[in-house]
């Protein structure tokens, strides 16, 4: 459904007044936001862009939404090019951003939706039906006729989602939709994404977040972006396989292993001498039993700990792996 090919984007930092006065001819500093992003997003899935602040997530989403164009590369949405078919792409996408400030504070929630729906050319009867349906799905129907300025942060975010769905887009892009929200509202929005948008309506959702728990809980596929580069893409299980497996077995020994034992260590293991311990990664629970049988044959007495790696630990491992390669 969406494909991006070698997307690059560079911005120039704005000069301060002091820099402008003292160094008027000095070139502005460049910020490389994206450094050749390539990937694809399947229809009817929830795809998470995961990375720290400043990684390039929002820049990529703005390019996919045709709000800005890349310096190099191409993006296709439903086989439409961002360069040639911007109107068709915008019709297929509903964009929801956090800290939304474009609503009119003295209008009610319903009046705001009526205004933005009319800008999109939706006829009055259809618009009224869609507004009621979206507000009901999001639990906002009772507050629809209150002024926007009286809404809590969570209610404003829900209204932003309702607005993004007015033109019934196939693709919903959400840029950190649960940022600054309390746990209850965050949970409600996550449930709405998975239960209503994905399962019931079959929409494709692209979620930009730096919340590792959120990405792990919701995503069919995760793309990890760091410093403008796509360092890994796949399901959580596929990403964990990059480290050898998602289940980590730690064997603690009373004394160091001798050189013969160390030479026999298989793949997906790491050994440290002080204190002497061995880490062995397994892809599934089924792999653990044969590993334990093998271990007991030739290794001295030891204690074992088992841990399932979280997405945070996978993310840290992949970032560390990428730094080592570079």
């Amino acid at each position: 459904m969406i494909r991006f090919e070698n997307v690059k984007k560079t911005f120039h930092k704005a000069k301060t007044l002091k820099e402008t006065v003292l160094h008027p001819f000095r070139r502005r500093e460049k910020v490389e936001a994206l450094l050749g992003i390539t990937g694809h997003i399947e229809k009817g899935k929830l795809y998470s862009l995961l990375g720290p602040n400043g990684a390039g997530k929002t820049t990529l989403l703005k390019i996919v939404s045709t709000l800005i164009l890349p310096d190099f590369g191409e993006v296709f949405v439903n086989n439409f090019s961002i360069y040639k078919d911007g109107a068709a792409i915008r019709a297929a996408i509903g964009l929801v951003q956090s800290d939304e400030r474009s609503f009119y504070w003295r209008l009610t929630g319903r009046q705001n939706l009526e205004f933005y729906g009319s800008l999109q050319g939706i006829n009055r009867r259809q618009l009224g039906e869609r507004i009621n349906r979206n507000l009901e799905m999001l639990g906002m129907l009772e507050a629809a006729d209150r002024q926007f300025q009286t809404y809590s942060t969570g209610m404003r975010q829900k209204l932003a989602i309702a607005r993004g769905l007015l033109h019934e887009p196939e693709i919903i892009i959400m840029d950190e939709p649960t940022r600054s929200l309390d746990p209850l509202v965050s949970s409600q929005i996550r449930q709405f994404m998975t239960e209503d948008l994905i399962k019931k309506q079959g929409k494709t959702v692209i979620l930009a977040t730096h919340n590792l728990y959120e990405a792990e809980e919701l995503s069919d596929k995760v793309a990890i972006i760091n410093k403008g580069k796509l360092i890994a893409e796949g399901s959580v299980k596929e990403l964990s396989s990059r480290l050898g497996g998602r289940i980590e077995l730690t064997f603690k020994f009373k004394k160091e292993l001798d050189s013969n034992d160390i030479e026999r260590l298989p793949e997906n293991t790491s050994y440290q001498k002080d204190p002497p311990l061995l880490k062995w990664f397994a892809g599934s629970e089924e792999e653990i039993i044969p590993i334990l049988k093998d271990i007991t044959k030739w290794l001295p007495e030891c204690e074992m700990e088992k841990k399932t790696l979280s997405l945070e630990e996978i993310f840290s491992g992949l970032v560390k792996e990428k730094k080592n390669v570079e």
Side-chain angles (χ1 to χ4, degrees):
M1 174 167 277
I2 300 175
R3 188 171 78 254
F4 24 92
E5 301 173 352
N6 199 22
V7 177
K8 299 179 181 180
K9 184 65 179 179
T10 300
F11 296 100
H12 291 84
K13 279 188 177 179
K15 286 185 178 181
T16 64
L17 179 60
K18 182 179 178 181
E19 290 171 333
T20 302
V21 172
L22 297 179
H23 308 287
F25 302 109
R26 180 179 292 176
R27 291 185 177 181
R28 290 183 296 168
E29 183 181 349
K30 289 184 178 181
V31 178
E32 295 180 318
L34 298 175
L35 298 170
I37 299 289
T38 297
H40 71 281
I41 301 172
E42 299 174 9
K43 183 177 181 179
K45 303 292 184 180
L46 197 151
Y47 183 95
S48 288
L49 291 174
L50 179 63
N53 290 329
K57 305 184 301 295
T58 298
T59 299
L60 181 60
L61 293 185
K62 286 183 176 180
I63 290 173
V64 172
S65 307
T66 74
L67 295 179
I68 60 175
L69 291 175
D71 299 325
F72 186 84
E74 176 65 282
V75 176
F76 295 97
V77 178
N78 291 341
N79 294 321
F80 292 117
S81 166
I82 58 169
Y83 296 106
K84 302 176 183 178
D85 311 298
I89 291 175
R90 287 189 289 274
I93 288 176
L95 179 61
V96 179
Q97 295 178 297
S98 59
D99 295 334
E100 182 54 65
R101 298 181 181 181
S102 60
F103 286 110
Y104 292 92
W105 283 46
R106 293 189 179 184
L107 296 181
T108 66
R110 185 186 303 277
Q111 288 169 338
N112 268 287
L113 295 181
E114 288 172 346
F115 172 74
Y116 284 106
S118 65
L119 292 181
Q120 294 172 325
I122 305 171
N123 72 59
R124 182 175 292 274
R125 185 182 61 81
Q126 281 186 328
L127 180 57
E129 292 174 355
R130 293 179 188 181
I131 288 173
N132 286 333
R133 181 191 63 200
N134 292 345
L135 290 173
E136 186 174 8
M137 283 193 301
L138 288 158
M140 284 283 292
L141 201 54
E142 291 184 5
D145 298 309
R146 284 170 45 188
Q147 284 186 324
F148 182 81
Q149 63 186 352
T150 67
Y151 286 176
S152 65
T153 302
M155 294 170 72
R156 292 172 186 174
Q157 187 63 13
K158 288 181 179 181
L159 196 70
I161 295 172
R163 182 179 62 180
L165 297 172
L166 284 178
H167 62 296
E168 298 187 336
E170 301 173 59
I171 304 161
I172 311 298
I173 293 179
M174 295 190 174
D175 190 2
E176 299 187 15
T178 59
R179 186 175 66 182
S180 303
L181 300 184
D182 65 64
L184 177 60
V185 177
S186 296
S187 177
Q188 290 171 347
I189 289 178
R190 292 186 190 117
Q191 185 176 6
F192 176 75
M193 284 191 282
T194 55
E195 297 298 324
D196 288 87
L197 296 182
I198 300 292
K199 293 182 180 179
K200 293 182 181 179
Q201 300 183 42
K203 296 187 184 296
T204 303
V205 176
I206 306 172
L207 172 68
T209 182
H210 59 263
N211 185 324
L212 293 156
Y213 167 77
E214 188 170 77
E216 183 170 21
E217 180 186 24
L218 302 178
S219 307
D220 296 299
K221 193 174 185 180
V222 176
I224 297 178
I225 296 180
N226 191 40
K227 296 181 180 179
K229 297 180 180 180
L230 182 64
I231 61 174
E233 184 184 45
S235 66
V236 174
K237 182 178 180 180
E238 289 168 344
L239 295 180
S240 70
S241 68
R242 289 274 297 272
L243 300 178
R246 198 175 181 194
I247 300 174
E248 180 186 84
L249 303 177
T250 301
F251 300 89
K252 298 180 180 180
F253 305 102
K254 294 181 179 178
K255 61 180 182 178
E256 289 186 21
L257 299 183
D258 60 37
S259 57
N260 291 330
D261 286 333
I262 293 174
E263 288 179 2
R264 296 174 62 184
L265 293 178
E267 295 181 357
N268 299 337
T269 61
S270 61
Y271 174 70
Q272 71 174 43
K273 291 184 178 180
D274 188 20
L277 61 84
L278 170 70
K279 289 191 176 182
W280 197 330
F281 295 96
S284 64
E285 294 284 349
E286 290 74 18
E287 294 179 22
I288 294 179
I289 295 177
I291 288 174
L292 293 178
K293 287 182 179 179
D294 197 19
I295 284 279
T296 55
K297 287 180 182 178
W298 53 272
L299 287 182
E301 183 179 350
C302 61
E303 296 179 2
M304 188 200 81
E305 293 179 359
K306 186 184 81 167
K307 181 174 73 171
T308 300
L309 297 181
S310 67
L311 184 56
E312 180 176 3
E313 290 164 313
I314 294 171
F315 174 78
S316 300
L318 290 172
V319 171
K320 182 179 179 181
E321 174 191 273
K322 189 66 176 180
K323 286 181 178 178
N324 291 338
V325 170
E326 293 173 346

